[in-house]
Amino acid sequence: MGSIAIPLPSVGSQQDIEVDIRVNGQLRQQNYRVEVFYWKDCYHRHNRAECIREILNGYDKEWQLYYIGMPTDDYVPITFMKRSA
């Protein structure tokens, strides 16, 4: 799958994004969710890689990982894409 970049307003705690795409004349819809996860909320306070793994393993299985954004000292933004039916 190819990709394009679309600027979005600044991320709050969660954004649900619906994109209608026309590819070769066929309309398709893709849903994304951007969530911010705070390091302080990691249950066992492990290192950051383990924290992200814990987040992803416990996340709603209707959504798949799409992109892990640039982390800060306080949080990491993660983008999920809704799985096709």
Coordinates of all heavy atoms in Angstrom, one line a residue:
M1 N 0.9 -1.2 0.0 CA 0.0 0.0 0.0 C 0.9 1.2 0.0 O 1.8 1.3 0.8 CB -0.9 0.0 1.2 CG -1.6 1.3 1.5 SD -2.6 1.5 2.9 CE -2.4 0.2 4.0
G2 N 0.6 2.2 -0.9 CA 1.3 3.4 -0.9 C 0.8 4.3 0.3 O -0.2 4.0 0.9
S3 N 1.4 5.4 0.4 CA 1.0 6.3 1.5 C 1.2 7.8 1.1 O 2.0 8.1 0.2 CB 1.7 6.1 2.8 OG 3.1 6.3 2.6
I4 N 0.4 8.6 1.7 CA 0.5 10.1 1.5 C 0.5 10.7 2.8 O -0.1 10.1 3.8 CB -0.6 10.7 0.5 CG1 -2.0 10.4 1.1 CG2 -0.5 10.1 -0.8 CD1 -3.1 11.1 0.4
A5 N 1.0 11.9 2.9 CA 0.9 12.6 4.2 C -0.1 13.7 4.2 O -0.2 14.5 3.2 CB 2.3 13.3 4.5
I6 N -1.0 13.7 5.2 CA -2.0 14.7 5.3 C -1.9 15.4 6.6 O -1.9 14.8 7.7 CB -3.4 14.1 5.2 CG1 -3.6 13.3 3.9 CG2 -4.5 15.1 5.4 CD1 -4.9 12.5 3.9
P7 N -1.6 16.8 6.6 CA -1.5 17.4 7.9 C -2.8 17.4 8.7 O -3.9 17.6 8.1 CB -1.1 18.9 7.5 CG -1.3 19.0 6.0 CD -1.5 17.6 5.5
L8 N -2.7 17.2 10.0 CA -3.8 17.2 10.9 C -3.7 18.3 11.9 O -2.5 18.7 12.2 CB -3.9 15.8 11.6 CG -4.1 14.6 10.6 CD1 -4.0 13.4 11.4 CD2 -5.5 14.7 9.9
P9 N -4.8 18.7 12.5 CA -4.6 19.7 13.6 C -3.8 19.0 14.8 O -3.7 17.8 14.8 CB -6.1 19.9 14.1 CG -6.9 19.3 13.0 CD -6.1 18.4 12.2
S10 N -3.3 19.8 15.7 CA -2.5 19.3 16.8 C -3.2 18.2 17.5 O -4.4 18.2 17.7 CB -2.1 20.4 17.7 OG -3.2 21.0 18.2
V11 N -2.5 17.2 17.9 CA -3.0 16.0 18.5 C -3.4 16.3 20.0 O -2.6 16.8 20.7 CB -2.0 14.8 18.5 CG1 -2.5 13.6 19.2 CG2 -1.7 14.5 17.1
G12 N -4.7 15.9 20.3 CA -5.1 16.0 21.7 C -4.9 14.6 22.3 O -3.9 13.9 22.0
S13 N -5.8 14.2 23.1 CA -5.6 12.8 23.7 C -6.0 11.8 22.7 O -5.5 10.7 22.8 CB -6.5 12.7 25.0 OG -7.8 12.9 24.7
Q14 N -7.0 12.0 21.8 CA -7.4 11.0 20.8 C -8.0 11.8 19.6 O -8.8 12.7 19.8 CB -8.3 10.0 21.4 CG -8.8 9.0 20.3 CD -9.7 7.9 20.9 OE1 -9.6 7.6 22.1 NE2 -10.6 7.5 20.1
Q15 N -7.7 11.3 18.4 CA -8.4 11.8 17.3 C -8.8 10.6 16.4 O -8.0 9.7 16.2 CB -7.5 12.6 16.4 CG -7.1 13.9 17.0 CD -6.2 14.8 16.0 OE1 -5.6 14.3 15.2 NE2 -6.2 16.1 16.3
D16 N -10.1 10.5 16.0 CA -10.6 9.5 15.1 C -10.7 10.2 13.7 O -11.3 11.3 13.6 CB -12.0 9.0 15.5 CG -11.8 8.1 16.7 OD1 -10.8 7.4 16.8 OD2 -12.8 8.1 17.5
I17 N -10.1 9.6 12.7 CA -10.0 10.2 11.4 C -10.6 9.3 10.4 O -10.2 8.1 10.3 CB -8.5 10.5 11.1 CG1 -7.9 11.4 12.1 CG2 -8.3 11.1 9.7 CD1 -6.4 11.2 12.3
E18 N -11.5 9.8 9.5 CA -12.1 9.0 8.4 C -11.6 9.7 7.1 O -11.8 10.9 7.0 CB -13.6 9.0 8.5 CG -14.1 8.3 9.7 CD -15.7 8.4 9.8 OE1 -16.3 8.8 8.8 OE2 -16.2 8.0 10.8
V19 N -11.1 8.9 6.3 CA -10.5 9.4 5.0 C -11.3 8.7 3.9 O -11.2 7.4 3.8 CB -9.0 9.2 4.9 CG1 -8.5 9.7 3.5 CG2 -8.3 9.8 6.0
D20 N -11.9 9.4 3.0 CA -12.5 8.8 1.7 C -11.5 9.0 0.6 O -11.0 10.1 0.4 CB -13.8 9.6 1.4 CG -14.9 9.2 2.4 OD1 -14.9 8.1 2.9 OD2 -15.8 10.1 2.5
I21 N -11.1 7.9 0.0 CA -10.1 7.9 -1.0 C -10.7 7.4 -2.3 O -11.4 6.4 -2.3 CB -8.9 7.0 -0.6 CG1 -8.4 7.5 0.7 CG2 -7.8 7.1 -1.7 CD1 -7.5 6.4 1.4
R22 N -10.4 8.0 -3.4 CA -10.8 7.5 -4.7 C -9.6 7.1 -5.5 O -8.7 7.8 -5.8 CB -11.5 8.6 -5.5 CG -12.5 8.1 -6.6 CD -13.3 9.2 -7.2 NE -14.4 9.6 -6.3 CZ -15.6 9.0 -6.2 NH1 -15.8 7.9 -6.8 NH2 -16.5 9.5 -5.4
V23 N -9.5 5.8 -5.7 CA -8.4 5.2 -6.4 C -8.9 4.5 -7.7 O -9.7 3.7 -7.6 CB -7.7 4.1 -5.5 CG1 -6.5 3.4 -6.2 CG2 -7.3 4.6 -4.2
N24 N -8.4 5.0 -8.8 CA -8.8 4.6 -10.1 C -10.3 4.6 -10.2 O -10.9 3.7 -10.7 CB -8.3 3.2 -10.4 CG -6.8 3.1 -10.5 OD1 -6.2 4.1 -10.9 ND2 -6.2 2.0 -10.1
G25 N -10.9 5.7 -9.7 CA -12.4 5.8 -9.8 C -13.2 5.1 -8.7 O -14.4 5.3 -8.6
Q26 N -12.5 4.3 -7.9 CA -13.3 3.5 -6.9 C -13.1 4.2 -5.5 O -12.0 4.5 -5.1 CB -12.8 2.1 -6.8 CG -13.1 1.2 -8.0 CD -12.6 -0.2 -7.8 OE1 -11.7 -0.5 -7.1 NE2 -13.2 -1.1 -8.6
L27 N -14.3 4.4 -4.9 CA -14.2 5.1 -3.6 C -14.0 4.1 -2.5 O -14.6 3.0 -2.4 CB -15.6 5.8 -3.3 CG -15.7 6.6 -2.0 CD1 -14.7 7.7 -2.0 CD2 -17.1 7.1 -1.8
R28 N -13.0 4.4 -1.6 CA -12.7 3.6 -0.5 C -12.6 4.5 0.7 O -12.3 5.6 0.6 CB -11.3 2.9 -0.7 CG -11.3 2.0 -1.9 CD -9.9 1.5 -2.1 NE -9.8 0.7 -3.3 CZ -8.8 0.1 -3.8 NH1 -7.7 0.1 -3.1 NH2 -8.8 -0.5 -4.9
Q29 N -12.9 3.9 1.9 CA -12.8 4.6 3.1 C -11.8 3.9 4.0 O -11.8 2.7 4.1 CB -14.2 4.7 3.8 CG -14.1 5.6 5.1 CD -15.4 5.7 5.8 OE1 -15.9 4.6 6.3 NE2 -16.0 6.8 5.8
Q30 N -11.0 4.7 4.7 CA -10.0 4.2 5.6 C -10.1 5.0 6.9 O -10.3 6.2 6.9 CB -8.6 4.3 5.1 CG -7.6 3.6 5.9 CD -7.8 2.1 6.0 OE1 -7.9 1.4 5.0 NE2 -8.0 1.6 7.2
N31 N -10.1 4.3 8.0 CA -10.3 4.9 9.3 C -8.9 4.8 10.1 O -8.3 3.7 10.1 CB -11.4 4.3 10.2 CG -12.7 4.4 9.5 OD1 -13.0 5.4 8.8 ND2 -13.6 3.5 9.7
Y32 N -8.6 5.9 10.7 CA -7.3 6.0 11.5 C -7.7 6.5 12.9 O -8.7 7.2 13.1 CB -6.3 6.9 10.9 CG -5.9 6.5 9.5 CD1 -6.5 6.9 8.4 CD2 -4.8 5.6 9.4 CE1 -6.1 6.5 7.1 CE2 -4.4 5.2 8.1 CZ -5.0 5.6 7.0 OH -4.7 5.2 5.8
R33 N -6.9 6.2 13.9 CA -7.0 6.7 15.2 C -5.6 7.1 15.7 O -4.7 6.3 15.7 CB -7.7 5.7 16.1 CG -7.8 6.1 17.6 CD -8.4 5.1 18.4 NE -9.8 5.0 18.1 CZ -10.6 4.0 18.4 NH1 -10.1 3.0 19.1 NH2 -11.9 4.1 18.1
V34 N -5.5 8.3 16.2 CA -4.3 8.8 16.8 C -4.5 8.9 18.3 O -5.4 9.6 18.7 CB -3.8 10.1 16.2 CG1 -2.5 10.6 16.8 CG2 -3.7 10.0 14.6
E35 N -3.7 8.2 19.0 CA -3.8 8.3 20.5 C -2.5 8.7 21.1 O -1.4 8.3 20.6 CB -4.3 7.0 21.1 CG -5.7 6.7 20.8 CD -6.3 5.7 21.8 OE1 -6.2 6.0 23.0 OE2 -6.9 4.8 21.3
V36 N -2.5 9.4 22.2 CA -1.3 9.8 22.9 C -1.3 9.0 24.2 O -2.3 8.9 24.9 CB -1.4 11.3 23.3 CG1 -0.2 11.7 24.2 CG2 -1.4 12.2 22.0
F37 N -0.2 8.3 24.4 CA 0.0 7.4 25.6 C 1.1 8.1 26.4 O 2.2 8.4 25.9 CB 0.4 6.0 25.2 CG -0.7 5.3 24.4 CD1 -0.8 5.4 23.0 CD2 -1.7 4.6 25.1 CE1 -1.8 4.7 22.3 CE2 -2.7 4.0 24.4 CZ -2.8 4.1 23.0
Y38 N 0.9 8.2 27.7 CA 1.8 8.8 28.6 C 2.7 7.8 29.3 O 2.2 6.8 29.7 CB 1.1 9.7 29.6 CG 0.4 10.9 29.0 CD1 -0.9 10.8 28.5 CD2 1.1 12.1 28.9 CE1 -1.4 11.9 27.8 CE2 0.6 13.2 28.2 CZ -0.7 13.1 27.7 OH -1.3 14.2 27.1
W39 N 4.0 8.1 29.3 CA 4.9 7.1 29.9 C 4.5 6.8 31.4 O 4.7 5.7 31.8 CB 6.3 7.7 29.9 CG 6.8 7.9 28.5 CD1 7.3 9.1 28.0 CD2 6.9 7.0 27.4 NE1 7.7 9.0 26.7 CE2 7.5 7.7 26.3 CE3 6.6 5.7 27.2 CZ2 7.7 7.1 25.0 CZ3 6.9 5.1 26.0 CH2 7.4 5.8 24.9
K40 N 4.0 7.8 32.1 CA 3.7 7.6 33.5 C 2.6 6.6 33.7 O 2.4 6.1 34.8 CB 3.3 9.0 34.1 CG 2.0 9.6 33.6 CD 1.7 10.9 34.3 CE 0.5 11.5 33.8 NZ -0.7 10.9 34.0
D41 N 1.8 6.3 32.6 CA 0.7 5.4 32.7 C 1.2 3.9 32.5 O 0.3 3.0 32.6 CB -0.4 5.8 31.8 CG -1.0 7.1 32.2 OD1 -1.0 7.5 33.4 OD2 -1.6 7.7 31.3
C42 N 2.4 3.7 32.2 CA 2.9 2.3 32.0 C 2.8 1.6 33.3 O 3.2 2.1 34.3 CB 4.3 2.3 31.4 SG 4.4 2.7 29.7
Y43 N 2.1 0.4 33.2 CA 1.8 -0.3 34.5 C 3.0 -0.7 35.3 O 3.0 -0.6 36.5 CB 1.0 -1.5 34.1 CG -0.3 -1.1 33.5 CD1 -0.6 -1.5 32.2 CD2 -1.3 -0.4 34.2 CE1 -1.8 -1.1 31.6 CE2 -2.5 -0.1 33.6 CZ -2.7 -0.4 32.3 OH -3.9 0.0 31.7
H44 N 4.0 -1.1 34.7 CA 5.2 -1.7 35.5 C 6.4 -0.8 35.4 O 7.5 -1.2 35.8 CB 5.5 -3.1 35.0 CG 4.3 -4.0 35.1 ND1 3.8 -4.4 36.3 CD2 3.6 -4.6 34.2 CE1 2.7 -5.1 36.1 NE2 2.6 -5.3 34.8
R45 N 6.2 0.4 34.7 CA 7.3 1.3 34.6 C 8.6 0.7 34.0 O 9.7 1.0 34.5 CB 7.6 2.0 35.9 CG 6.4 2.6 36.6 CD 6.7 4.0 36.9 NE 5.7 4.6 37.8 CZ 4.5 5.1 37.4 NH1 4.2 5.1 36.1 NH2 3.7 5.7 38.2
H46 N 8.5 -0.1 33.0 CA 9.7 -0.7 32.3 C 10.2 0.4 31.4 O 9.8 1.5 31.3 CB 9.4 -1.9 31.5 CG 8.0 -2.5 31.6 ND1 6.9 -2.0 30.9 CD2 7.6 -3.6 32.3 CE1 5.9 -2.8 31.2 NE2 6.3 -3.7 32.0
N47 N 11.2 -0.1 30.6 CA 11.7 0.9 29.6 C 10.7 1.2 28.6 O 9.6 0.6 28.5 CB 13.0 0.3 29.0 CG 12.8 -0.9 28.1 OD1 12.0 -0.9 27.2 ND2 13.6 -1.9 28.3
R48 N 10.9 2.2 27.7 CA 9.9 2.7 26.8 C 9.5 1.7 25.7 O 8.4 1.6 25.3 CB 10.4 4.0 26.2 CG 10.4 5.1 27.2 CD 10.9 6.4 26.6 NE 10.8 7.4 27.7 CZ 11.0 8.7 27.4 NH1 11.4 9.1 26.2 NH2 10.9 9.6 28.4
A49 N 10.5 0.9 25.3 CA 10.2 -0.2 24.3 C 9.2 -1.2 24.9 O 8.2 -1.6 24.2 CB 11.4 -0.9 23.8
E50 N 9.4 -1.6 26.1 CA 8.5 -2.5 26.7 C 7.1 -1.9 27.0 O 6.1 -2.5 26.9 CB 9.1 -3.0 28.1 CG 10.2 -3.9 27.8 CD 10.9 -4.3 29.1 OE1 10.7 -3.6 30.2 OE2 11.7 -5.3 29.1
C51 N 7.1 -0.6 27.3 CA 5.9 0.1 27.5 C 5.0 0.1 26.2 O 3.8 -0.2 26.2 CB 6.1 1.6 27.9 SG 4.7 2.6 28.2
I52 N 5.7 0.4 25.1 CA 5.0 0.5 23.8 C 4.5 -0.9 23.4 O 3.3 -1.1 23.0 CB 5.9 1.0 22.7 CG1 6.1 2.5 22.9 CG2 5.3 0.8 21.3 CD1 7.1 3.1 22.0
R53 N 5.3 -2.0 23.7 CA 4.9 -3.3 23.4 C 3.6 -3.7 24.3 O 2.7 -4.3 23.8 CB 6.0 -4.3 23.7 CG 5.7 -5.7 23.4 CD 6.8 -6.7 23.7 NE 8.0 -6.3 23.0 CZ 9.2 -5.9 23.6 NH1 9.3 -5.9 24.9 NH2 10.2 -5.5 22.9
E54 N 3.6 -3.2 25.5 CA 2.4 -3.5 26.4 C 1.2 -2.8 25.8 O 0.1 -3.3 25.8 CB 2.8 -3.0 27.8 CG 1.8 -3.2 28.8 CD 2.3 -2.8 30.2 OE1 3.1 -3.5 30.8 OE2 1.9 -1.7 30.6
I55 N 1.4 -1.5 25.4 CA 0.2 -0.8 24.8 C -0.3 -1.5 23.6 O -1.5 -1.7 23.5 CB 0.7 0.7 24.4 CG1 1.0 1.5 25.7 CG2 -0.3 1.3 23.5 CD1 1.8 2.8 25.4
L56 N 0.6 -1.9 22.7 CA 0.1 -2.5 21.4 C -0.5 -3.9 21.7 O -1.5 -4.2 21.1 CB 1.3 -2.7 20.5 CG 1.9 -1.4 20.0 CD1 3.1 -1.7 19.1 CD2 0.9 -0.5 19.3
N57 N 0.0 -4.7 22.6 CA -0.5 -6.0 22.9 C -1.9 -5.9 23.5 O -2.8 -6.8 23.4 CB 0.4 -6.8 23.8 CG 1.6 -7.3 23.1 OD1 1.6 -7.5 21.9 ND2 2.6 -7.6 23.9
G58 N -2.2 -4.8 24.3 CA -3.5 -4.7 24.9 C -4.5 -3.8 24.2 O -5.6 -3.6 24.6
Y59 N -4.1 -3.4 23.0 CA -5.0 -2.5 22.2 C -6.1 -3.3 21.5 O -6.0 -4.4 21.2 CB -4.2 -1.7 21.2 CG -4.9 -0.4 20.8 CD1 -4.9 0.7 21.7 CD2 -5.6 -0.3 19.6 CE1 -5.6 1.9 21.4 CE2 -6.2 0.9 19.3 CZ -6.2 1.9 20.1 OH -6.9 3.1 19.8
D60 N -7.2 -2.6 21.3 CA -8.4 -3.2 20.5 C -7.9 -3.8 19.3 O -7.3 -3.2 18.4 CB -9.3 -2.0 20.2 CG -10.6 -2.4 19.6 OD1 -10.7 -3.6 19.1 OD2 -11.6 -1.6 19.6
K61 N -8.2 -5.1 19.1 CA -7.8 -5.9 18.0 C -8.4 -5.5 16.6 O -8.0 -6.0 15.6 CB -8.0 -7.4 18.2 CG -7.2 -7.9 19.4 CD -5.7 -7.6 19.4 CE -5.0 -8.1 20.6 NZ -3.7 -7.4 20.8
E62 N -9.5 -4.7 16.7 CA -10.1 -4.2 15.4 C -9.1 -3.1 14.8 O -9.4 -2.7 13.6 CB -11.4 -3.5 15.7 CG -12.5 -4.5 16.1 CD -13.9 -3.9 16.2 OE1 -14.0 -2.7 15.7 OE2 -14.8 -4.5 16.7
W63 N -8.1 -2.7 15.5 CA -7.2 -1.7 15.0 C -5.8 -2.3 14.9 O -5.4 -3.1 15.8 CB -7.2 -0.5 15.9 CG -8.5 0.2 16.0 CD1 -9.6 -0.1 16.7 CD2 -8.9 1.3 15.2 NE1 -10.6 0.8 16.5 CE2 -10.2 1.7 15.5 CE3 -8.3 2.1 14.2 CZ2 -10.9 2.7 15.0 CZ3 -9.0 3.2 13.6 CH2 -10.3 3.5 14.0
Q64 N -5.0 -1.9 13.9 CA -3.7 -2.4 13.8 C -2.7 -1.2 13.8 O -3.1 -0.1 13.4 CB -3.5 -3.2 12.5 CG -3.6 -2.4 11.2 CD -3.6 -3.2 10.0 OE1 -4.0 -4.4 10.0 NE2 -3.1 -2.7 8.9
L65 N -1.5 -1.4 14.2 CA -0.5 -0.4 14.3 C -0.2 0.2 12.9 O -0.1 -0.6 11.9 CB 0.8 -0.9 14.9 CG 2.0 0.0 14.8 CD1 1.7 1.2 15.7 CD2 3.2 -0.7 15.3
Y66 N -0.2 1.5 12.8 CA 0.1 2.1 11.5 C 1.4 2.9 11.6 O 2.3 2.8 10.8 CB -1.0 3.0 11.0 CG -0.7 3.7 9.7 CD1 -0.8 2.9 8.5 CD2 -0.4 5.0 9.6 CE1 -0.5 3.5 7.3 CE2 -0.1 5.6 8.4 CZ -0.2 4.8 7.3 OH 0.1 5.4 6.0
Y67 N 1.6 3.7 12.7 CA 2.7 4.5 12.9 C 3.0 4.9 14.3 O 2.0 5.2 15.0 CB 2.5 5.8 12.0 CG 3.6 6.8 12.1 CD1 4.8 6.6 11.3 CD2 3.5 8.0 12.8 CE1 5.8 7.6 11.3 CE2 4.5 8.9 12.8 CZ 5.6 8.7 12.1 OH 6.6 9.6 12.1
I68 N 4.2 4.9 14.7 CA 4.6 5.3 16.0 C 5.3 6.7 15.8 O 6.3 6.8 15.2 CB 5.5 4.4 16.8 CG1 4.8 3.0 17.0 CG2 6.0 4.9 18.1 CD1 5.7 1.9 17.5
G69 N 4.7 7.7 16.4 CA 5.2 9.1 16.2 C 6.4 9.3 17.1 O 6.9 8.5 17.9
M70 N 6.9 10.6 17.0 CA 8.1 11.0 17.7 C 7.8 11.1 19.2 O 6.9 11.9 19.6 CB 8.6 12.3 17.2 CG 9.8 12.8 17.9 SD 11.3 11.8 17.6 CE 11.6 12.1 15.9
P71 N 8.4 10.3 20.0 CA 8.1 10.4 21.5 C 8.7 11.7 22.1 O 9.7 12.2 21.5 CB 8.8 9.2 22.0 CG 9.8 8.7 21.0 CD 9.4 9.2 19.7
T72 N 8.1 12.1 23.2 CA 8.7 13.2 23.9 C 9.1 12.6 25.3 O 9.0 11.4 25.5 CB 7.6 14.3 24.2 OG1 6.6 13.8 25.0 CG2 7.0 14.8 22.8
D73 N 9.5 13.5 26.2 CA 9.8 13.0 27.6 C 8.6 12.5 28.3 O 8.7 11.8 29.3 CB 10.5 14.1 28.4 CG 11.9 14.4 27.9 OD1 12.5 13.6 27.2 OD2 12.4 15.5 28.2
D74 N 7.4 13.0 27.9 CA 6.2 12.7 28.6 C 5.3 11.7 27.9 O 4.5 11.0 28.6 CB 5.3 14.0 28.8 CG 6.1 15.0 29.7 OD1 6.7 14.6 30.6 OD2 6.0 16.2 29.3
Y75 N 5.3 11.6 26.6 CA 4.3 10.7 25.9 C 4.8 10.2 24.6 O 5.9 10.7 24.1 CB 3.0 11.5 25.7 CG 3.1 12.7 24.8 CD1 3.0 12.5 23.4 CD2 3.3 13.9 25.4 CE1 3.1 13.7 22.6 CE2 3.4 15.0 24.5 CZ 3.3 14.9 23.2 OH 3.4 16.0 22.3
V76 N 4.1 9.3 24.0 CA 4.3 8.9 22.6 C 3.0 8.8 21.9 O 2.0 8.3 22.3 CB 5.0 7.5 22.6 CG1 4.1 6.4 23.2 CG2 5.3 7.1 21.1
P77 N 2.9 9.5 20.7 CA 1.7 9.4 19.9 C 1.7 8.2 19.0 O 2.8 7.9 18.4 CB 1.7 10.7 19.0 CG 3.2 11.0 18.9 CD 3.8 10.5 20.1
I78 N 0.7 7.4 18.9 CA 0.6 6.2 18.1 C -0.6 6.3 17.2 O -1.7 6.6 17.7 CB 0.6 4.9 19.0 CG1 1.8 4.9 19.9 CG2 0.5 3.7 18.1 CD1 1.9 3.7 20.8
T79 N -0.4 6.0 15.9 CA -1.5 5.9 15.0 C -1.9 4.5 14.6 O -1.0 3.7 14.4 CB -1.1 6.7 13.7 OG1 -0.7 8.0 14.0 CG2 -2.3 6.7 12.7
F80 N -3.2 4.2 14.7 CA -3.7 2.9 14.4 C -4.6 3.0 13.1 O -5.2 4.1 12.9 CB -4.6 2.4 15.5 CG -3.8 2.2 16.8 CD1 -3.7 3.2 17.7 CD2 -3.1 1.0 17.0 CE1 -3.0 3.0 18.9 CE2 -2.4 0.8 18.2 CZ -2.3 1.8 19.1
M81 N -4.7 2.0 12.4 CA -5.6 1.9 11.2 C -6.6 0.8 11.4 O -6.2 -0.3 11.9 CB -4.7 1.6 9.9 CG -5.5 1.6 8.7 SD -4.5 1.5 7.2 CE -3.7 -0.1 7.4
K82 N -7.8 1.1 11.2 CA -8.9 0.1 11.4 C -8.7 -1.1 10.4 O -8.5 -0.8 9.2 CB -10.3 0.7 11.2 CG -11.3 -0.2 11.7 CD -12.6 0.5 12.1 CE -13.5 -0.5 12.8 NZ -14.6 0.2 13.4
R83 N -8.8 -2.3 10.9 CA -8.6 -3.4 10.0 C -9.8 -3.6 9.0 O -10.9 -3.2 9.4 CB -8.5 -4.7 10.8 CG -7.3 -4.8 11.7 CD -7.2 -6.1 12.5 NE -6.2 -6.1 13.4 CZ -4.9 -6.5 13.2 NH1 -4.6 -6.8 11.9 NH2 -4.0 -6.5 14.1
S84 N -9.5 -4.0 7.9 CA -10.6 -4.3 6.9 C -11.4 -5.4 7.3 O -11.0 -6.4 8.0 CB -10.0 -4.6 5.5 OG -9.1 -3.6 5.1
A85 N -12.7 -5.3 7.0 CA -13.7 -6.4 7.4 C -13.5 -7.7 6.7 O -12.8 -7.8 5.8 CB -15.1 -5.9 7.2

